[in-house]
Amino acid sequence: MRKTKVAVSTALAASALLLAAAPACAADDAPVTPAGKEALAILKEAIETPTVAGRGQVPKLAASLKARLVAAGFAEGDVTFTPLGETGYFTARYPGRDRKAKPLVVIAHMDVVEAKPSDWERDPFKAVIENGYVFGRGARDNKGDLSMIVAAVMELKRAGWVPARDIVIGFSGDEETQMATTRAMADALSNAALVLNGDSGGGELDTGGKPFVYSIQAGEKTYADYTLSLTDPGGHSSRPGATNPIAAMGAAADKVWTYKFPVQLSPLTKAYLEGSAKVAPADVAPAMRAFAADPNDAAAAATLSARREYVGVIRTTCVPTMIKGGHAPNALPQSVEANINCRIFPGTTRASVQATLAGVIGDPAIKIAFKDNGTLESIESPLRPDVLAAVEKAVHERAPGLAIVPGMSAGATDSMHFRAKGIPAFGVSASFMRAEDSFSHGLNERLPLATLDPGVKQWESLLKSLAK
């Protein structure tokens, strides 16, 4: 398997040092601009369309998005949905003046992870506006930026703006599972000049809601699932023997949970930490500086590892996420399986992580198998000066002087399939969030309402700059 190196442009490094005091966040209330209100309406409808794998709702959401875009002036033939199993991918082409030029592609995903209503404080598939947030599954991941993207292109279309080249909106339908629609969409859009992804990057707010840094995702960690399995003859529960698959698997899962992979530093993460430290909260900024200067600084590594927003930036992480086993309450278990989910630091192979897990568990009876879910090993994109300039302009319109730094996503995104084709891809979300409000894939997922008005404007500015 190929290892990759991180490349960070000179312009990016310079940008990471351009820092100024950040202004306070906008008031936490409902959108006031027509485009912001439209983004909220789209988001509500998207949340209430439960696009979870297996429910067959992605085509329904795609049809709703098409109706909105056509009503805003898009030609019906330029807005298509390509079915793939019970899901599919959605594209909308915004024609430019030069139809032969390679298009600018803007991506997001329509699907969401499962949510059990009994676990939530509110119905996860009912958009609830409360305390300055819109709650619901997908509010942040990824229907928030999807809605802002759609609202932005509708606003531009109604205003009569014509880009220099085609802009293609591409929304996948199984990013959270097998990424089959992502692969198909990347194949269909393989002539893209550039990809902007609304599913990564974005603004970070401090605990008081004040923006202190904006990151552009230029790389991401490699996603991997490993299945641990163990079998046993079983028997009557009144006659326990020397072994028990559930107990053994529990011990193995605990070893994985407590193991810490070695810390790592790349040019990309070094630039992120150095840039962020200038304006990061006082309780974490010194650790950022220290770790960027010396990744062997154990105290700095411990401080960053204790913060969920930073632990994934400095090391590979593997955690148990699912377990199943046994067949009757009064019988010894005959089999048990556990899933170990890993987010692997760029340059580290999946095979080497699997070997590490085997060593950590130390039980040859437990089999370990990699589970292919369509993701690829990480490749990173050198940040282009034109992208940097466009992002600076768009972000500084809403937060003058805000630090802009490179970023590496701890999770997997659709960008990997475009990067694998040699197409530069960058995460440029217009969502500004506090770390404590980020509940993607978790309970009570939410998005600040205050991010919608400026978020739509940020997308409009970005598209105008890169397709002028």
Side-chain angles (χ1 to χ4, degrees):
M1 297 183 181
R2 182 173 58 186
K3 292 186 178 181
T4 61
K5 293 183 178 180
V6 178
V8 181
S9 71
T10 302
L12 177 59
S15 169
L17 300 176
L18 181 61
L19 307 167
C25 182
D28 254 352
D29 54 13
V32 295
T33 68
K37 291 178 180 179
E38 192 158 46
L40 179 57
I42 297 167
L43 178 55
K44 287 180 177 178
E45 186 174 42
I47 289 172
E48 295 177 4
T49 308
T51 50
V52 176
R55 298 198 192 184
Q57 293 295 295
V58 168
K60 179 181 177 181
L61 177 57
S64 171
L65 295 174
K66 177 172 182 173
R68 288 180 180 275
L69 289 168
V70 170
F74 279 72
E76 187 163 348
D78 285 337
V79 186
T80 62
F81 178 72
T82 303
L84 191 59
E86 58 97 19
T87 182
Y89 68 90
F90 172 91
T91 58
R93 186 171 292 271
Y94 193 139
R97 298 188 297 276
D98 183 355
R99 303 306 305 278
K100 295 181 179 180
K102 290 185 174 183
L104 168 64
V105 173
V106 183
I107 63 173
H109 64 88
M110 297 178 286
D111 62 311
V112 296
V113 299
E114 183 60 273
K116 294 182 179 180
S118 59
D119 293 340
W120 282 53
E121 295 176 17
R122 307 159 190 81
D123 185 341
F125 298 108
K126 175 70 175 178
V128 177
I129 295 177
E130 191 176 297
N131 299 325
Y133 298 91
V134 56
F135 290 83
R137 173 58 87 221
R140 173 67 181 93
D141 187 13
N142 177 231
K143 292 176 176 178
D145 265 274
L146 179 150
S147 300
M148 288 185 274
I149 291 166
V150 173
V153 296
M154 290 169 65
E155 186 83 352
L156 292 172
K157 191 70 172 177
R158 292 190 188 108
W161 179 70
V162 180
R165 52 179 168 163
D166 288 6
I167 296 173
V168 179
I169 309 301
F171 298 151
S172 62
D174 65 343
E175 189 268 357
E176 300 288 8
T177 52
Q178 296 300 310
M179 286 190 164
T181 64
T182 310
R183 292 194 298 274
M185 185 172 72
D187 287 341
L189 301 175
S190 61
N191 68 328
L194 172 68
V195 170
L196 303 178
N197 190 351
D199 189 29
S200 55
E204 297 180 44
L205 307 178
D206 63 19
T207 55
K210 182 178 180 180
F212 68 91
V213 70
Y214 182 91
S215 63
I216 305 173
Q217 188 239 52
E220 58 193 273
K221 297 175 81 173
T222 298
Y223 179 103
D225 283 312
Y226 301 92
T227 300
L228 309 185
S229 59
L230 182 61
T231 59
D232 190 85
H236 200 285
S237 61
S238 66
R239 303 177 64 186
T243 62
N244 182 295
I246 290 178
M249 189 63 74
D254 185 61
K255 289 179 180 178
V256 172
W257 171 248
T258 57
Y259 177 75
K260 303 301 181 188
F261 281 80
V263 295
Q264 293 177 267
L265 185 69
S266 72
L268 177 61
T269 56
K270 180 180 175 68
Y272 168 75
L273 292 169
E274 289 176 339
S276 299
K278 300 291 184 179
V279 287
D283 61 338
V284 72
M288 288 179 161
R289 294 189 189 94
F291 187 82
D294 178 13
N296 294 315
D297 188 321
T303 297
L304 295 175
S305 295
R307 300 281 291 260
R308 65 179 183 178
E309 66 266 42
Y310 301 119
V311 62
V313 176
I314 66 170
R315 58 170 25 111
T316 292
T317 60
C318 288
V319 296
T321 55
M322 297 179 70
I323 191 166
K324 62 180 180 179
H327 59 284
N330 58 350
L332 297 173
Q334 295 173 352
S335 65
V336 62
E337 285 188 354
N339 188 82
I340 304 298
N341 179 256
C342 299
R343 308 302 174 114
I344 302 169
F345 202 90
T348 303
T349 66
R350 288 165 166 165
S352 69
V353 170
Q354 183 170 337
T356 298
L357 291 174
V360 168
I361 292 168
D363 185 346
I366 295 179
K367 298 179 181 178
I368 306 177
F370 169 67
K371 184 163 57 178
D372 187 3
N373 73 336
T375 59
L376 305 173
E377 292 199 328
S378 177
I379 299 174
E380 294 169 345
S381 300
L383 190 64
R384 293 175 17 170
D386 61 332
V387 174
L388 176 59
V391 170
E392 286 180 336
K393 179 178 182 296
V395 171
H396 288 164
E397 285 172 356
R398 71 188 288 187
L402 187 65
I404 298 177
V405 301
M408 177 187 71
S409 291
T413 74
D414 285 337
S415 289
M416 71 175 72
H417 292 277
F418 290 91
R419 291 191 182 116
K421 294 180 179 296
I423 302 169
F426 304 99
V428 290
S429 168
S431 296
F432 278 47
M433 299 278 291
R434 300 187 307 168
E436 54 265 44
D437 287 333
S438 182
F439 287 90
S440 299
H441 294 201
L443 299 176
N444 307 313
E445 184 177 355
R446 68 195 72 169
L447 184 77
L449 291 172
T451 207
L452 292 173
D453 279 331
V456 173
K457 292 299 181 185
Q458 181 176 320
W459 276 110
E460 288 183 34
S461 175
L462 196 56
L463 296 179
K464 282 184 172 181
S465 293
L466 290 171
K468 60 183 177 182

